[in-house]
Amino acid sequence: MTSTRETFQVAPLSRTLMIIEVTLPIILVVLGIYHGFMQTLYRAGVIQSSSFAGLNYYQGLTLHGVINAVVLTTFFGVAFGNAVMQFYLRRPLIGWVHATSTGMMVVGTLIAAVPMLLGLADVLYTFYPPLKAHPAFYIGATLLVVGSWVAFAGWIPLLRSWMQENPGRPLPLAVMGMLVTFIIWFLCTIPLAIEVLFMLIPWSLGWVDSINIPMARTLFWFFGHPLVYFWLLPAYVIYYTILPKEAGGKLYSAYAARLAFLLFLIFSIPVGLHHQYTEPGFDRFWKGVHALLTFGVAIPSFMTAFTLAASLEYAGVRRGAKGLFGWIGRLPWFDGERPLVAYSLAGLLIFIMGGLTGLVNASYNLNQTIHNTGFISGHFHMTVGGPVFLIILGMSLELFSQLTGKPIRGRGWNVAVPYLWMMGIYLFSPAMMVGGLLGQPRRTNMGLSYLDPSSPHFRLDWVVTSYLAAIGGAVMFLAFLIYIGVWIATIAAPAQQSAGELYFSTAESLHPDATTTSIVARLRPWLAIAIILILVSYWMPLQQALRTPENAPPYSPDNPTPLVQVRK
Ligand code: HAS
């Protein structure tokens, strides 16, 4: 990759739409984060309902999960993809396609928000049956996803025209990373579309009385695991392109980075059964196949760890570091002018534990101990709640600043946010994990009888871990409040540079990058392998799910009696 100082001027319509794409989810996340903090207080017995607004436990948890894990991440993936395509391909987005995509996503989010706020969709972010939501929830979610497909489709003419003009160059690394991200997204949202359109919506409209639960769950996890790489890969794009340059060095190997993205393409989808190890109806053999492939999907992250560590060491040495570990101290950890370094380093330090605990989950035997316990919540707050969330915060603010021409205010506070968040996570997640190892379940308030010393269910060890998790939650909440303060100060500041000028500092590769003929510069062979692996790994499990129709009536966790009687 070559380094560039050129900026790209975004057209006025796209600029307005991108400001909406980065601002709306951050506004919603205020509600999402608030409900996360309230969950921790409630589980520790500090408050008696799931929020000060008196929402019930599952409604609060649904708002927390759907806003943070689905709405924020999808908007960010689209906004960042739009920025990457325009900046690196040096072409404007097609205005009407962009407007259609953003419009669908905004309208879909608002439609889904109504039943969630009214308590008619307490189905958590996984919304698998027998939990049943109001049809508007599923219809809104569908619009959000289809809007993101439209954004992806809008990039294709830009890519084609760039390739025609640059026949001897591989795609810029960031563009390739975002392309892989959205191919994974497109492939994995197909089973989701089947589940929502042909199962959940007819069921929720009352056109059918019951639903095949194993099939719905299998289709969900067919989507649900690759989903986590849709969240993660934009962060990897930033780690590979911006971080090494901002840290003062180069990317150790762009070739290795390309290979990592392609390995995600082949391994991230055929692994969903690792969420269903404990479910009956699936042959052990296919659970084993998915377990093996899950270890495969860890390989590109291990490669990333080594490539990034080498890139950061190179940066530290260039900054004058001596000795084996001197480079660590030389990195610009607290440089307010380069906030993405702080947001990246804190995220990476969290992800070391997030990734390792993922390998624990993936191990079939260990999974029997931790499935559906607090251990899982600990794991995913160190992944989606760590590197993913921090990169979204850091880059959203950066994009907002570039699109509005307003410089980021409170730069010292801004770089404190990721480290404070990291401290909160390192209190919260281990507490949840230890609680999980002690048997504390996730996603159930159980009447919180374990808090009551007079109850036969009283568990002092769970009370201690819940308190530690609540303290971690408070620290994370404080970090987020500071972030919102920085955002508000930035909005209030007058514009000082021209609005809509995109600029991403981009690292050169220390070792030779791919050429157009390199295997890592060609997407098609990898896509073909991905599709073959998907077909092989899901062919039998889907048939097994079809053969075991455990139909059940709808169920509400808040009112645990069947809402509708199954037709006799
Ligand atoms: Fe996971 C459950 C396995 C990664 C998210 N995962 C979840 C759930 C979520 C989630 C949300 O196999 C809960 C779903 C639910 O609601 O039920 N996960 C894995 C594995 C990985 C993994 C093997 N997960 C993620 C990522 C997520 C995410 C990424 C979000 C973004 N996960 C599972 C399994 C379950 C599961 C089971 C189901 C469990 C159950 O029973 O329900 C791997 O991809 C992880 C590989 C990562 C690494 C780490 C590499 C480290 C790096 C940092 C290097 C640091 C540097 C810094 C360079 C091997 C890259 C150095 C700097 C200095 C200055 C020193």
Side-chain angles (χ1 to χ4, degrees):
M1 297 198 59
T2 51
S3 94
T4 172
R5 285 263 158 212
E6 282 174 275
T7 58
F8 180 85
Q9 181 62 49
V10 180
L13 174 62
S14 282
R15 189 178 80 85
T16 309
L17 294 169
M18 287 177 71
I19 292 175
I20 295 171
E21 286 161 11
V22 292
T23 313
L24 177 72
I26 294 291
I27 295 170
L28 293 176
V29 160
V30 173
L31 197 62
I33 292 288
Y34 165 78
H35 279 292
F37 180 38
M38 290 304 120
Q39 291 287 319
T40 64
L41 295 185
Y42 181 54
R43 288 179 70 102
V46 179
I47 57 174
Q48 300 313 312
S49 84
S50 187
S51 79
F52 290 113
L55 299 191
N56 73 55
Y57 177 83
Y58 293 99
Q59 189 177 4
L61 191 52
T62 303
L63 284 165
H64 175 59
V66 171
I67 294 175
N68 295 1
V70 181
V71 176
L72 175 71
T73 51
T74 309
F75 269 93
F76 179 75
V78 168
F80 182 59
N82 283 336
V84 162
M85 295 300 153
Q86 292 178 93
F87 178 72
Y88 288 100
L89 301 178
R90 316 214 66 74
R91 279 155 174 75
L93 297 173
I94 304 162
W96 68 268
V97 179
H98 193 183
T100 309
S101 140
T102 315
M104 287 177 85
M105 290 172 61
V106 171
V107 171
T109 303
L110 298 178
I111 291 177
V114 175
M116 280 196 295
L117 291 170
L118 294 178
L120 300 173
D122 298 349
V123 290
L124 313 179
Y125 86 100
T126 39
F127 54 84
Y128 35 59
L131 300 180
K132 184 180 183 182
H134 188 278
F137 174 80
Y138 304 116
I139 292 167
T142 306
L143 276 176
L144 174 67
V145 170
V146 176
S148 71
W149 287 354
V150 174
F152 179 33
W155 301 339
I156 292 168
L158 278 62
L159 284 160
R160 284 225 172 104
S161 121
W162 186 92
M163 287 194 285
Q164 274 165 6
E165 246 179 51
N166 298 274
R169 289 172 62 194
L171 283 174
L173 178 59
V175 172
M176 188 190 151
M178 289 312 292
L179 199 57
V180 169
T181 308
F182 272 77
I183 293 175
I184 293 175
W185 175 243
F186 182 69
L187 289 177
C188 79
T189 42
I190 294 172
L192 179 75
I194 295 172
E195 184 201 358
V196 173
L197 295 180
F198 298 110
M199 300 179 78
L200 294 176
I201 292 182
W203 180 59
S204 127
L205 284 169
W207 296 345
V208 291
D209 289 335
S210 63
I211 195 161
N212 180 335
I213 288 173
M215 177 55 91
R217 289 172 68 99
T218 309
L219 289 171
F220 180 83
W221 287 118
F222 196 152
F223 151 79
H225 196 79
L227 168 71
V228 313
Y229 299 106
F230 172 72
W231 298 338
L232 183 71
L233 292 194
Y236 274 21
V237 167
I238 291 165
Y239 294 159
Y240 277 129
T241 55
I242 299 179
L243 172 64
K245 173 84 172 176
E246 292 284 277
K250 294 185 179 182
L251 172 61
Y252 187 73
S253 168
Y255 193 101
R258 288 177 194 274
L259 179 60
F261 284 123
L262 292 166
L263 289 175
F264 276 117
L265 179 57
I266 61 174
F267 283 126
S268 65
I269 303 180
V271 296
L273 279 195
H274 71 220
H275 292 266
Q276 295 173 278
Y277 287 154
T278 54
E279 288 180 27
F282 302 105
D283 198 287
R284 267 182 310 174
F285 175 78
W286 291 105
K287 290 179 180 172
V289 169
H290 281 235
L292 202 67
L293 292 169
T294 306
F295 286 105
V297 80
I299 294 172
S301 282
F302 276 120
M303 286 173 55
T304 302
F306 287 113
T307 308
L308 292 181
S311 309
L312 292 172
E313 183 192 17
Y314 179 80
V317 170
R318 269 182 106 179
R319 291 169 154 269
K322 299 264 181 303
L324 202 53
F325 295 111
W327 58 274
I328 297 176
R330 288 288 174 151
L331 296 174
W333 292 89
F334 295 101
D335 187 343
E337 297 303 314
R338 303 156 191 270
L340 282 173
V341 174
Y343 279 95
S344 302
L345 290 177
L348 285 166
L349 291 175
I350 296 171
F351 194 44
I352 295 173
M353 282 310 290
L356 294 178
T357 50
L359 295 171
V360 171
N361 301 345
S363 314
Y364 187 85
N365 300 34
L366 297 179
N367 184 278
Q368 308 300 307
T369 311
I370 46 84
H371 180 66
N372 269 344
T373 71
F375 191 93
I376 304 298
S377 319
H379 159 68
F380 68 71
H381 281 85
M382 294 188 128
T383 52
V384 63
V388 172
F389 187 64
L390 286 179
I391 277 295
I392 293 180
L393 292 192
M395 183 44 94
S396 296
L397 188 57
E398 182 64 36
L399 282 176
F400 180 81
S401 162
Q402 295 189 9
L403 291 165
T404 55
K406 294 168 183 261
I408 297 173
R409 285 295 167 101
R411 287 180 176 268
W413 288 104
N414 190 25
V415 289
V417 168
Y419 299 116
L420 198 56
W421 182 268
M422 179 178 79
M423 285 186 231
I425 286 274
Y426 266 108
L427 272 169
F428 171 84
S429 279
M432 290 298 286
M433 288 185 208
V434 172
L437 289 173
L438 294 168
Q440 189 171 14
R442 68 183 280 216
R443 288 182 152 180
T444 172
N445 62 14
M446 296 171 59
L448 297 188
S449 52
Y450 62 85
L451 294 167
D452 176 3
S454 63
S455 155
H457 306 297
F458 175 65
R459 288 286 300 262
L460 182 61
D461 45 2
W462 293 3
V463 174
V464 174
T465 52
S466 299
Y467 262 95
L468 285 173
I471 296 169
V475 176
M476 287 150 74
F477 189 59
L478 177 64
F480 184 70
L481 288 181
I482 297 173
Y483 174 78
I484 291 298
V486 170
W487 189 291
I488 292 169
T490 304
I491 293 177
Q496 283 179 9
Q497 58 221 36
S498 64
E501 268 191 14
L502 287 181
Y503 173 68
F504 295 138
S505 66
T506 308
E508 287 174 46
S509 180
L510 192 58
H511 289 282
D513 193 358
T515 63
T516 34
T517 52
S518 311
I519 186 69
V520 296
R522 292 157 54 205
L523 274 171
R524 285 202 183 117
W526 300 86
L527 185 57
I529 300 172
I531 291 173
I532 292 169
L533 269 182
I534 292 170
L535 292 176
V536 170
S537 63
Y538 267 109
W539 183 249
M540 283 309 290
L542 284 174
Q543 290 194 39
Q544 288 166 354
L546 263 183
R547 270 193 233 123
T548 51
E550 293 171 20
N551 296 324
Y555 178 84
S556 163
D558 311 315
N559 176 21
T561 51
L563 299 175
V564 173
Q565 293 302 316
V566 185
R567 195 184 288 144
K568 293 276 181 316

